Amino acid sequence: MIKACIFDLDGVVVYTDQYHYQAWKKLANHMGYDLTPFENLMLKGLSRRDSLDTLLEMKGIRACENEKLMLSELKNKWYRRLLKDIDMSAVAKGAEDLIHDLRSAGMKTALASSSKNAGIVVKKLRLEGLFDVIVDGNMVSASKPDPEIFVKCAGMLKVDPNKCIVFEDAQSGIDAAKSAGMHTVAICEETSLKGADISVKTISNVSSNEIIKFNSN
Ligand code: B16
Ligand code: MG
């Protein structure tokens, strides 16, 4: 039986993945390149710095440490600007109901986001009450696909990793959850993610009963 549900933030609970994409695309344009939605899949779920390194490598751009710092600050400035107008319409349809249903059934819930801006989003949209534990990019040293963030959540919730199920929209997140020994639900509109136990197009397609009855053994 599953005892804890761990949710990614960007692209799962809120549609901020679109804002991250817009900001990365603007940065790519700033450097004279484009970034397609398909190329953006490689960046999803990674920390800001790992995303930047992936983007630079993808486009064959060399940059020194200072330039990388400047570029990642620029991307963050643009991302934060997009966050200014964020409101409840950015919350994924069905996310709050699903989390309420799972909590009513006795599940513990956690948020595990690589984003250092997760706190701003959670506070602005008043989502704190949905989670027993919140772990973000400021609290880990290695980002997804490293399992650290999920292992940390399980430890704070005091639940065995094998009794946890992770909801993710990025391949790096599915890989991280698998490495942590957890079960996975892939939320992915365009393409399928490899290795997930359950796959749905949006979080509104997740059945709380399926999660509650999921056989974790
Ligand atoms: P920041 P998640 C991740 O959040 C995003 O998927 C990823 O696109 C972003 O680069 C990363 O956070 C870092 O975000 O620049 O705000 O620290 O999907 O793990 O909730
Ligand atoms: Mg995500």
Side-chain angles (χ1 to χ4, degrees):
M1 284 273 286
I2 294 292
K3 294 198 169 146
C5 296
I6 305 178
F7 295 86
D8 173 55
L9 181 69
D10 300 312
V12 171
V13 177
V14 291
Y15 298 126
T16 37
D17 54 323
Q18 288 308 315
Y19 294 166
H20 279 294
Y21 172 52
Q22 281 178 48
W24 284 122
K25 189 178 166 72
K26 192 167 174 169
L27 190 76
N29 293 164
H30 171 81
M31 296 185 290
Y33 296 84
D34 193 19
L35 181 71
T36 66
F38 182 73
E39 289 171 324
N40 182 59
L41 293 177
M42 305 280 292
L43 274 51
K44 267 187 155 185
L46 305 180
S47 68
R48 197 179 311 156
R49 177 53 190 262
D50 289 350
S51 302
L52 176 66
D53 285 340
T54 305
L55 173 64
L56 294 176
E57 201 186 315
M58 198 189 285
K59 302 296 174 188
I61 304 168
R62 296 172 73 120
C64 69
E65 200 50 44
N66 274 347
E67 287 166 331
K68 285 186 182 183
L69 207 63
M70 187 271 286
L71 289 168
S72 78
E73 277 171 9
L74 204 50
K75 184 269 172 178
N76 198 42
K77 188 177 92 179
W78 290 330
Y79 177 62
R80 289 262 187 108
R81 205 175 275 169
L82 291 166
L83 284 186
K84 273 197 178 143
D85 298 326
I86 200 171
D87 61 22
M88 291 307 284
S89 65
V91 179
K93 213 168 143 247
E96 287 178 290
D97 286 347
L98 173 69
I99 298 171
H100 283 308
D101 288 350
L102 293 169
R103 287 172 68 86
S104 300
M107 299 268 183
K108 290 187 177 175
T109 54
L111 185 76
S113 173
S114 302
S115 177
K116 292 186 173 172
N117 293 298
I120 298 176
V121 176
V122 165
K123 208 169 162 208
K124 249 190 138 172
L125 302 179
R126 301 207 186 93
L127 300 174
E128 299 98 328
L130 294 177
F131 307 105
D132 297 296
V133 155
I134 294 179
V135 181
D136 70 17
N138 298 294
M139 298 162 73
V140 289
S141 48
S143 97
K144 302 165 187 174
D146 190 285
E148 181 184 352
I149 195 160
F150 294 126
V151 171
K152 193 168 181 116
C153 281
M156 288 167 79
L157 292 171
K158 299 193 173 55
V159 174
D160 190 295
N162 183 43
K163 305 286 176 207
C164 295
I165 193 158
V166 171
F167 295 72
E168 261 291 348
D169 70 321
Q171 190 62 54
S172 59
I174 297 289
D175 295 345
K178 287 276 155 203
S179 300
M182 297 179 180
H183 307 279
T184 50
V185 178
I187 314 250
C188 198
E189 195 100 44
E190 323 89 26
T191 50
S192 56
L193 299 180
K194 284 183 254 119
D197 297 299
I198 299 172
S199 285
V200 290
K201 284 198 181 305
T202 75
I203 200 164
S204 61
N205 300 123
V206 177
S207 140
S208 54
N209 269 336
E210 190 180 356
I211 303 301
I212 292 159
K213 291 185 186 145
F214 186 88
N215 189 354
S216 60
N217 295 311

